[in-house]
Amino acid sequence: MTTQLQHARGGTVTDAMERVAERENRDAEFVRQQVADGQAVIPANHGHDALDPMIIGREFATKVNANIGNSEPASGPEAELQKLHTAVHYGADTVMDLSTGGDLDTIRTENIAYSPVPVGTVPIYEAVTRVDDASDLTPELLLDVVEKQAEQGVDYMTLHAGVLAEHLPLTDGRTTGIVSRGGSILARWMEEHGEQNPLYERFDDLCEILAAYDVTVSLGDGLRPGSLADASDAAQFAELDTLGELTRRAWDHGVQVMVEGPGHVPMDEIADNVERQQDVCDGAPFYVLGPLVTDVAPGYDHITSAIGATEAARAGAAMLCYVTPKEHLGLPDAEDVRDGLAAYRIAAHSADVANGRPGARDWDDAVSEARYAFDWRRQFELALDPGRARNYHDQTLPEDNYKEARFCSMCGVEFCSMRIDQDAREAGDGMDGLESRTDLDSSAAAAVNRPPTGVHRAEKLDDIPCPVAEDDVAADD
Amino acid sequence: MTTQLQHARGGTVTDAMERVAERENRDAEFVRQQVADGQAVIPANHGHDALDPMIIGREFATKVNANIGNSEPASGPEAELQKLHTAVHYGADTVMDLSTGGDLDTIRTENIAYSPVPVGTVPIYEAVTRVDDASDLTPELLLDVVEKQAEQGVDYMTLHAGVLAEHLPLTDGRTTGIVSRGGSILARWMEEHGEQNPLYERFDDLCEILAAYDVTVSLGDGLRPGSLADASDAAQFAELDTLGELTRRAWDHGVQVMVEGPGHVPMDEIADNVERQQDVCDGAPFYVLGPLVTDVAPGYDHITSAIGATEAARAGAAMLCYVTPKEHLGLPDAEDVRDGLAAYRIAAHSADVANGRPGARDWDDAVSEARYAFDWRRQFELALDPGRARNYHDQTLPEDNYKEARFCSMCGVEFCSMRIDQDAREAGDGMDGLESRTDLDSSAAAAVNRPPTGVHRAEKLDDIPCPVAEDDVAADD
């Protein structure tokens, strides 16, 4: 079997590349070239039949990942499928199944069977559940788990192969130590065994497995900063250098690569962080977790991190891993998933607009035209979250006739600036028609830059009931 | 009577400057110099006895304004005082009373009597309520309203004096026309009367009134863009040039000046917008409304705008006017005020950290130290919104013993990276103590960069019951 990277290098435009080109409104040959050069990845395990292929790369629409999965055995496969459905409904471009309890194989294979979006995992989580103590992990067990998950159809895997034994002393003076789960497990293992990171030692063997199934490797940043105090420190950048080396080694095996990034970074250091990764890793797609621009707001970290994510994507990050309001505090529920995805779709789209992605701003223009025309139904329909926009409006003006009103309760009819402005124009030279001018159907924008978000070829997922409450789905009754 | 600007120019350090220096941890002489140069303002009407003076300027901690007031006559003075209390409780540095219905004089004078923070208004709103139709407004009525409100103790007033008749044709091709309430009222008046903006024509007379009471003028941007499509257009920048001229004219009268800014601006144009205003207006403090970095997310505009506000403050904006989740959809309730203020306190503080304000990051460090030490109570106590942080944590782990637990429900005990990391360090060379190292009491940070937010000398406000629910106030039971 051949990976997308190998096909691209050989000059072949695959079906996946064709589909991606269609979704992104780009030329298929451009897609092929970006994949061939390692500047973009199409995570698409040969065994993931339900997948609607998508692409992650600096030159394409910015993507958003949602973490699903459980951290307690109570949550079984059905509950997990509901989380998948919710995440896809609210616009996740990929999901990571981070389950650490229960019947992991069933949860994972069910997710893959139903998911139209790439499914990522962190194999060391499962490996740890198969031993009494993390110190009992062996290189062979890690390889076994990776191979089994690859066979099950996982599209990308986070491997913290860049955390080296010699990096660990660099974390000693940190405020928050090692905050990556995989990173902390491997650090402890290395200290107890006095040996090098097995994922680094066996990286070539791992790449052979990944290449066989076309699993994209997501090089984990086990030493990412967990606080502003630790941002951009020697430990983070030492690991990044190793990730650059591993990027090239994976490419040598024909494996597609993305690289994970922080975490917690002050606003003024984010662009530098992105540019450094792009330089060190030869342009491999950067997949960042936020970053959070302040540590002071637990309960609002979807916001602290969406600010950083916008800046990161503007500077060249290709995919944003969402953060929910429960970050640092507890396991998110469905409403947290919704809030986190909304914040991150905003970050991704705003960055695409700022970066001048073809047609990206058409969506904004269409919403603003509907707003100025007081076409409330169309404004709701086009909104990032139609159900919420309508519900907020209807809290004060629920009656149907207000859907054509030339005001809302924010300013009232007497003080609505757009109503006053239009009256003045009518009294003067008259106005052009207020119907929408922007035709989203013929927009050059990538699919993720047009409403509704979360549109995938998802026949299989549509077989199961949508867990999102009915009145949060529709733009109008 | 003499304004703070006139005192500063004369070399006098006033009591207000002394108090500001204390709150900002800066030298009083530096405060005086910044005010003398027009680079900062201390909005402090001579008649506002309950005021705890604060400063707005590029060189000081970034401030946040919350709009209160009603847009329906149902809401009376008591309800308005509750809104004031809520806004101050959640950290507003100033409030604007934008009431347009009911007994405006009583609402305004009560707000001023109780408010420890500067109270701003938009006098044209009251003027409009005193005529049958906005076209009946007269220059004399506008001057009368300004003088009465100045006498009542208003600390700053938005005057849309920069919208000139010759600017209006520049808005003809816009997607969303004129979206400022004051701007749209004045535009309509100018078109109906065929005359110049009366606030511009009578600007010197207005300045004489403002100077007599030391009311700071906030030069409104009546032609601010209401959509990304209209951002940075000819109309916006033509008005900005006039605002630069008016800044210098107000300074000539000894009036303190700030300048209002957009609105809706793509992420890549925000820094340019701020730098242009600072250049055109000779460094007068920039007071921005967001800006929103995308138009597509009604229901989440506290987030779309907090992203832009962070970037604006990083680039030099001095005060951020908050936006609530109800923006474009309806009148905000108390929970919306809370969400809006949280998003904006995040934006302001993150920008202060990015700009290297002395001591600003101490707050982040203290939170992260508490987090790594699993000192949940202290993490909640230090949080931007203690009640929400605790409530979110307690949704899954309410029992008291979990306040000392070395994990939360997000990852569970087996997979808590900080727990694993600390175990590894204990097993190795041992760890230094995990008690907090950062002493916030001796921090060089300005008061607004230390918890709790919203701390003012507020004896009078404390006389009335706090409307915030009891369990949303305390960090712990």
Side-chain angles (χ1 to χ4, degrees), chain A residues 34-81:
Chain A
Q34 286 284 307
V35 173
D37 294 343
Q39 307 301 292
V41 295
I42 299 177
N45 188 306
H46 298 140
H48 186 178
D49 295 330
L51 181 71
D52 189 9
M54 51 78 75
I55 193 163
I56 302 163
R58 190 182 60 244
E59 295 296 326
F60 301 94
T62 306
K63 303 304 188 298
V64 171
N65 172 69
N67 291 334
I68 56 175
N70 64 27
S71 64
E72 48 193 297
S75 176
E78 271 172 51
E80 291 307 313
L81 277 181

Side-chain angles (χ1 to χ4, degrees), chain A residues 71 171 178-179 181 294-296 300 326-327 330-331 364 367-368 384-385 395 409-410 415 417 421 425, chain B residues 71 171 178-179 181 294-296 300 326-327 330-331 364 367-368 384-385 395 409-410 415 417 421 425:
Chain A
S71 64
T171 67
I178 299 176
V179 297
R181 288 191 267 178
T294 176
D295 305 340
V296 305
Y300 297 91
K326 291 280 170 59
E327 182 77 15
L331 194 67
D364 299 83
V367 170
S368 288
L384 184 101
D385 184 344
Q395 280 178 19
S409 69
M410 182 176 174
F415 282 89
S417 61
D421 182 50
R425 286 172 206 273
Chain B
S71 64
T171 66
I178 299 176
V179 297
R181 288 191 266 178
T294 176
D295 306 340
V296 304
Y300 297 92
K326 291 281 170 60
E327 183 77 15
L331 194 67
D364 299 82
V367 170
S368 288
L384 185 101
D385 185 344
Q395 280 178 20
S409 69
M410 182 175 174
F415 282 89
S417 61
D421 182 50
R425 286 171 206 273

Side-chain angles (χ1 to χ4, degrees), chain B residues 7-352:
Chain B
H7 279 303
R9 284 173 177 162
T12 303
V13 172
T14 62
D15 289 349
M17 294 175 205
E18 292 280 8
R19 171 61 180 151
V20 162
E22 179 189 4
R23 298 180 79 179
E24 298 275 341
N25 248 307
R26 302 299 280 266
D27 190 72
E29 172 56 23
F30 178 74
V31 171
R32 187 199 63 74
Q33 191 64 54
Q34 286 284 307
V35 173
D37 294 343
Q39 307 300 293
V41 295
I42 300 177
N45 188 307
H46 298 139
H48 186 178
D49 294 331
L51 181 71
D52 188 9
M54 51 78 74
I55 193 163
I56 301 163
R58 190 182 58 245
E59 295 297 326
F60 300 94
T62 306
K63 303 304 188 297
V64 171
N65 172 70
N67 291 334
I68 56 175
N70 63 28
S71 64
E72 48 193 299
S75 176
E78 271 172 49
E80 291 307 312
L81 277 181
Q82 297 230 326
K83 289 184 194 171
L84 170 69
H85 207 319
T86 302
V88 171
H89 177 84
Y90 285 119
D93 296 300
T94 78
V95 295
M96 291 194 80
D97 175 6
L98 302 186
S99 295
T100 56
D103 182 353
L104 297 181
D105 282 320
T106 305
I107 292 171
R108 188 180 312 114
T109 52
E110 286 284 285
N111 273 332
I112 293 166
Y114 282 95
S115 179
V117 303
V119 175
T121 61
V122 187
I124 199 170
Y125 294 176
E126 181 187 352
V128 167
T129 67
R130 287 167 59 172
V131 290
D132 286 336
D133 187 275
S135 62
D136 299 333
L137 284 175
T138 63
E140 287 66 35
L141 175 60
L142 289 165
L143 284 159
D144 282 352
V145 170
V146 167
E147 179 144 32
K148 184 193 67 179
Q149 292 194 3
E151 201 175 343
Q152 288 171 337
V154 169
D155 299 291
Y156 66 94
M157 295 185 193
T158 296
L159 299 179
H160 300 90
V163 192
L164 301 189
E166 52 267 40
H167 299 156
L168 301 183
L170 298 174
T171 66
D172 282 349
R174 279 187 158 185
T175 294
T176 46
I178 299 176
V179 297
S180 150
R181 288 191 266 178
S184 65
I185 292 166
L186 287 162
R188 188 175 161 199
W189 190 94
M190 286 187 269
E191 298 207 335
E192 289 181 346
H193 290 259
E195 293 176 26
Q196 187 55 282
N197 181 344
L199 296 175
Y200 180 81
E201 292 289 279
R202 304 294 294 272
F203 192 69
D204 293 307
D205 297 329
L206 287 162
C207 283
E208 288 304 308
I209 299 169
L210 301 177
Y213 299 88
D214 200 2
V215 177
T216 297
V217 65
S218 186
L219 292 169
D221 56 334
L223 302 183
R224 68 168 172 268
S227 54
L228 296 191
D230 296 342
S232 311
D233 73 352
Q236 180 192 336
F237 288 145
E239 183 187 31
L240 179 61
D241 288 340
T242 306
L243 298 183
E245 172 207 326
L246 294 173
T247 297
R248 290 177 282 275
R249 278 170 64 185
W251 282 343
D252 287 343
H253 289 276
V255 173
Q256 302 188 89
V257 182
M258 49 185 178
V259 177
E260 298 184 11
H264 292 238
V265 182
M267 188 72 169
D268 58 313
E269 296 178 16
I270 293 172
D272 287 347
N273 264 265
V274 175
E275 285 156 23
R276 185 170 183 138
Q277 179 276 339
Q278 288 287 287
D279 181 44
V280 170
C281 300
D282 296 337
F286 202 23
Y287 168 27
V288 293
L289 179 62
L292 286 69
V293 294
T294 176
D295 306 340
V296 304
Y300 297 92
D301 279 332
H302 60 313
I303 298 178
T304 64
S305 64
I307 294 168
T310 307
E311 172 68 355
R314 192 201 55 73
M319 185 155 79
L320 311 172
C321 182
Y322 91 155
V323 170
T324 80
K326 291 281 170 60
E327 183 77 15
H328 299 118
L329 297 171
L331 194 67
D333 61 23
E335 201 62 14
D336 295 318
V337 170
R338 177 186 192 168
D339 283 329
L341 275 167
Y344 273 71
R345 292 250 54 105
I346 287 167
H349 177 69
S350 301
D352 287 343

Side-chain angles (χ1 to χ4, degrees), chain A residues 125-337:
Chain A
Y125 295 176
E126 181 187 352
V128 167
T129 67
R130 287 166 59 172
V131 290
D132 286 337
D133 188 275
S135 62
D136 298 333
L137 284 175
T138 63
E140 287 66 34
L141 175 60
L142 289 166
L143 284 159
D144 282 352
V145 170
V146 167
E147 179 144 31
K148 184 192 67 178
Q149 293 194 3
E151 201 175 345
Q152 288 171 336
V154 169
D155 300 291
Y156 66 94
M157 296 185 192
T158 296
L159 298 179
H160 300 90
V163 191
L164 300 189
E166 52 268 41
H167 299 157
L168 301 182
L170 298 174
T171 67
D172 282 349
R174 279 187 158 185
T175 295
T176 46
I178 299 176
V179 297
S180 150
R181 288 191 267 178
S184 65
I185 292 165
L186 287 162
R188 188 175 160 198
W189 189 93
M190 287 187 268
E191 298 206 336
E192 288 181 347
H193 290 259
E195 293 176 27
Q196 187 55 283
N197 181 345
L199 297 175
Y200 180 81
E201 292 289 279
R202 303 295 294 272
F203 192 68
D204 293 308
D205 297 329
L206 287 162
C207 284
E208 288 304 308
I209 299 170
L210 301 177
Y213 299 88
D214 199 2
V215 177
T216 298
V217 66
S218 186
L219 292 169
D221 55 334
L223 301 182
R224 67 168 174 269
S227 54
L228 297 191
D230 297 343
S232 310
D233 73 352
Q236 180 192 335
F237 288 145
E239 182 187 31
L240 179 61
D241 288 341
T242 306
L243 298 182
E245 173 207 326
L246 294 172
T247 296
R248 289 177 283 275
R249 278 171 63 185
W251 282 343
D252 288 343
H253 290 274
V255 172
Q256 302 188 89
V257 182
M258 49 185 178
V259 177
E260 298 184 11
H264 292 238
V265 182
M267 188 73 169
D268 58 312
E269 295 178 17
I270 293 172
D272 287 347
N273 264 265
V274 175
E275 285 156 23
R276 186 170 182 139
Q277 180 276 338
Q278 287 288 286
D279 181 44
V280 169
C281 300
D282 296 337
F286 201 24
Y287 168 28
V288 293
L289 178 62
L292 286 69
V293 294
T294 176
D295 305 340
V296 305
Y300 297 91
D301 279 332
H302 60 313
I303 299 178
T304 64
S305 65
I307 294 168
T310 307
E311 172 68 354
R314 192 201 56 72
M319 186 156 77
L320 311 172
C321 182
Y322 91 155
V323 170
T324 79
K326 291 280 170 59
E327 182 77 15
H328 298 118
L329 297 170
L331 194 67
D333 60 24
E335 201 62 15
D336 295 318
V337 170

